[in-house]
Amino acid sequence: MSRMAGALLLAAGVLVAGHLSSDRVVQLLWLWLPVPLLMLAWPSRPLGPARWLAASWLLLFGVDACLRGYLFSRYGMTHESSALLLALANTQPGEAWEYLLGHAHELLPWLGLLSLAVLAAALALRTPAPQGPSRRRQRLVLALALLALLSVGFKGMRRFHPLWAWPGVALAVQQQQADWQRLGDQHRQWRLAARAAVPRPVTGAATVVLVLSDSVNPDNLQLHGYPRATTPALQQLRTTLEPPLAVVREAWAQDASTIPALQRLLVRDGQHLLALAEAGGYKVWWISNHDDLAVKNVHARLAEPRMHMLNRSPGRRSATPDAVVLPRLREALADPAPSKLIVLHLLGAHPYYERRVPPGSANPFAGSDDAVDAALRAAGRPAWLIDQRAAYDAALRHHDALLAETLALTARSSATRRAWLFTSDHGQEVGHERDHAGHSPDTLAGYRIPLLLWQSEPGSVPPAELEQRRFRADSFTPLMAALLRLDTPLATQPPHLLQPTFRWQLPEEIQRLQPKPRPSEP
């Protein structure tokens, strides 16, 4: 083996070691590959311009591997983690130096790996050129190198390339610092508006737990008549709780993605739900298994200092289980404050579905060949989509156990008045209307959401009547204001489920997706 090949193998080893604990090793090796291939196929003189460029390439990927390896092994973060962006945006140079000194013992192994990356780059820079391969092999190598370079055109590949990833982090940090000023002003406006709208705090001890989940389609819930046992724990609670749990049969989001959907749920007529609750004397918590910068800064920060962002890995590949919220929920329920609003923000059944289930857990619906599988085959759905439906239903079954635990904890809490409400930001299309698994702004399945409500004291509308009513997302803040018993017109004026004079209007976003009536036959 030539000395050049040895230098490249050392550089590849650094890359693999840095990314070993993540699932991006193959992807990063592929992005790294073009320059090493070209170095072996077209020999260049030591210390020449081409060698400096190649050595810089190897060092770039080596430094990237060490940085990301440390972040993932120490904190479970990726370079896109909102926790990392927030830390960088909120850190002064002096604080960064103090961090390095305080964590030197943890950094030593990674500094050792970084020294190997420097060694590999130095060897590649100075090593005599190996003999080049034949013309035919050169053409094959060139084709492979070009293919690897062209793959950078795909966003899913490009976002992990060091030349894009770290400049992207720098831009995100700058944007974050600018947004903080803007959002700080917005939060002040919401709080001022809330204090004007809620002149008096609520009386009596009250605990309200709001569970906001992600990507849950009620058509896949056993509670809604789905043939698979996706909600056995909630089914059991429904038979034992008094007063009974209300299951609203028809509820609609007005957006098919998280950021705009949450805005519709939590903000109405210039009023934010969390600011209203605070003005009404509630102590507010936001406990989240999401790692989303926008959600954190727009909504969750209104709950500071009781904001707990427990996930450190953003996006679909996160495998942090929703059960991480339970210890914080127990702490919040045990807090002596008389009035509490506790918001739990869960990943729910967000794609990738298999990552919402603990590793090693069996999928009870995989290969079951039941009525659901038969219906999907009858609709012409492909085998991969039938598998995705099984994975989605397994995620919902795991989610059900957590929901039941949060409801049971709420029901057992010591407050005089207790309430628990569960919904999802938007729905999910998993072969319901077309050959697709995921978010879907073009089908009704993308907008169907569940709505479950339990109150320790009977409300003005009996649970049986609530179940027959229909819900739309933009009435959620008025609904919550009424559930919190806030002294504000928002709790009485807009139409919502808890009003005796409730009136229903189908959202325009749903109307456009309704099947058009066929013209009558002549």
Side-chain angles (χ1 to χ4, degrees):
M1 182 176 65
S2 70
R3 291 169 62 185
M4 178 62 74
L8 296 178
L9 281 176
L10 178 59
V14 170
L15 189 150
V16 170
H19 294 284
L20 197 58
S21 57
S22 73
D23 54 0
R24 295 289 178 183
V25 176
V26 175
Q27 188 176 25
L28 267 296
L29 278 172
W30 178 252
L31 293 170
W32 170 84
L33 192 60
V35 168
L37 283 176
L38 294 174
M39 289 177 68
L40 292 172
W42 277 271
S44 56
R45 61 185 178 84
L47 299 176
R51 288 291 188 91
W52 278 104
L53 179 62
S56 299
W57 180 269
L58 299 184
L59 188 58
L60 170 70
F61 274 84
V63 171
D64 171 73
C66 294
L67 280 173
R68 287 201 241 183
Y70 171 71
L71 288 171
F72 195 84
S73 64
R74 178 66 179 82
Y75 299 107
M77 293 180 181
T78 71
H79 74 283
E80 297 174 304
S81 170
S82 66
L84 174 64
L85 298 179
L86 290 171
L88 293 174
N90 200 36
T91 300
Q92 301 299 321
E95 293 175 304
W97 179 245
E98 290 172 1
Y99 174 87
L100 293 175
L101 292 177
H103 294 77
H105 62 289
E106 298 171 348
L107 292 166
L108 282 176
W110 299 98
L111 292 175
L113 189 63
L114 180 60
S115 67
L116 294 179
V118 173
L119 176 61
L123 289 174
L125 182 64
R126 302 181 64 88
T127 298
Q131 184 176 356
S134 64
R135 291 282 185 182
R136 182 178 180 183
R137 288 188 178 181
Q138 281 183 329
R139 286 194 291 270
L140 289 173
V141 168
L142 179 61
L144 186 60
L146 286 174
L147 184 62
L149 283 172
L150 288 174
S151 66
V152 178
F154 296 97
K155 182 181 178 181
M157 296 288 285
R158 181 173 65 247
R159 57 196 277 253
F160 289 95
H161 197 297
L163 287 175
W164 273 266
W166 297 108
V169 169
L171 287 174
V173 167
Q174 293 177 3
Q175 184 64 48
Q176 177 61 62
Q177 291 169 334
D179 286 348
W180 268 338
Q181 179 63 41
R182 177 179 59 82
L183 288 171
D185 293 341
Q186 177 66 77
H187 288 174
R188 281 190 290 274
Q189 291 174 16
W190 276 332
R191 285 191 167 105
L192 287 171
R195 284 195 287 269
V198 185
R200 289 178 296 277
V202 295
T203 58
T207 293
V208 178
V209 175
L210 167 60
V211 184
L212 295 173
S213 195
D214 199 319
S215 304
V216 177
N217 186 335
D219 291 342
N220 290 64
L221 299 183
Q222 185 184 9
L223 280 170
H224 281 257
Y226 189 58
R228 283 178 173 167
T230 53
T231 55
L234 285 172
Q235 294 276 109
Q236 178 63 29
L237 272 180
R238 199 175 184 213
T239 63
T240 58
L241 276 178
E242 286 295 338
L245 173 68
V247 180
V248 177
R249 296 298 170 185
E250 184 177 343
W252 296 98
Q254 290 169 271
D255 297 275
S257 58
T258 295
I259 303 303
L262 282 182
Q263 189 74 12
R264 294 261 200 169
L265 286 170
L266 299 175
V267 181
R268 172 70 183 256
D269 298 341
Q271 303 280 359
H272 195 288
L273 171 61
L274 271 62
L276 287 167
E278 182 184 68
Y282 280 85
K283 196 172 181 178
V284 180
W285 280 259
W286 184 285
I287 305 169
S288 176
N289 189 32
H290 272 258
D291 184 24
D292 189 290
L293 202 60
V295 173
K296 181 173 187 174
N297 288 327
V298 176
H299 305 294
R301 280 191 174 277
L302 283 165
E304 286 186 313
R306 291 167 296 280
M307 175 185 71
H308 305 289
M309 310 298 287
L310 305 176
N311 197 326
R312 293 291 182 268
S313 181
R316 300 183 170 213
R317 304 192 75 86
S318 173
T320 306
D322 279 333
V324 297
V325 305
L326 288 175
R328 293 291 188 178
L329 171 60
R330 292 187 179 98
E331 290 175 9
L333 289 171
D335 189 276
S339 298
K340 295 178 283 193
L341 170 62
I342 306 167
V343 182
L344 306 179
H345 190 203
L346 309 179
L347 279 173
H350 192 286
Y352 299 116
Y353 310 131
E354 61 275 8
R355 288 178 174 257
R356 307 299 151 242
V357 177
S361 300
N363 184 338
F365 310 117
S368 58
D369 198 22
D370 56 11
V372 173
D373 288 339
L376 290 170
R377 284 196 299 270
R381 303 296 181 229
W384 68 265
L385 189 52
I386 294 174
D387 291 341
Q388 284 289 287
R389 175 68 75 89
Y392 181 71
D393 290 344
L396 289 177
R397 179 160 179 150
H398 175 69
H399 185 248
D400 164 69
L402 175 66
L403 288 180
E405 180 69 11
T406 65
L407 175 52
L409 288 170
T410 304
R412 293 196 301 265
S413 66
S414 59
T416 305
R417 183 170 62 86
R418 290 147 285 143
W420 178 92
L421 191 148
F422 160 69
T423 191
S424 180
D425 52 4
H426 54 77
Q428 194 78 171
E429 171 68 67
V430 195
H432 299 87
E433 299 172 59
R434 63 187 181 101
D435 293 349
H436 176 70
H439 296 19
S440 180
D442 300 320
T443 65
L444 292 172
Y447 298 85
R448 294 190 199 278
I449 56 175
L451 188 70
L452 311 180
L453 174 61
W454 178 81
Q455 301 181 76
S456 62
E457 296 180 359
S460 57
V461 181
E465 184 179 340
L466 273 180
E467 293 197 358
Q468 303 308 315
R469 294 188 168 191
R470 295 181 286 181
F471 168 80
R472 49 186 284 165
D474 61 353
S475 68
F476 187 78
T477 295
L479 168 63
M480 284 296 300
L483 194 64
L484 294 165
R485 299 187 182 177
L486 299 177
D487 181 17
T488 172
L490 199 63
T492 57
Q493 291 177 1
H496 60 75
L497 293 178
L498 299 182
Q499 284 183 316
T501 57
F502 169 76
R503 294 187 308 277
W504 163 254
Q505 183 178 0
L506 189 69
E508 294 180 3
E509 296 84 356
I510 311 306
Q511 291 179 29
R512 67 180 177 85
L513 296 174
Q514 295 278 29
K516 302 296 187 297
R518 295 182 179 179
S520 57
E521 295 291 335

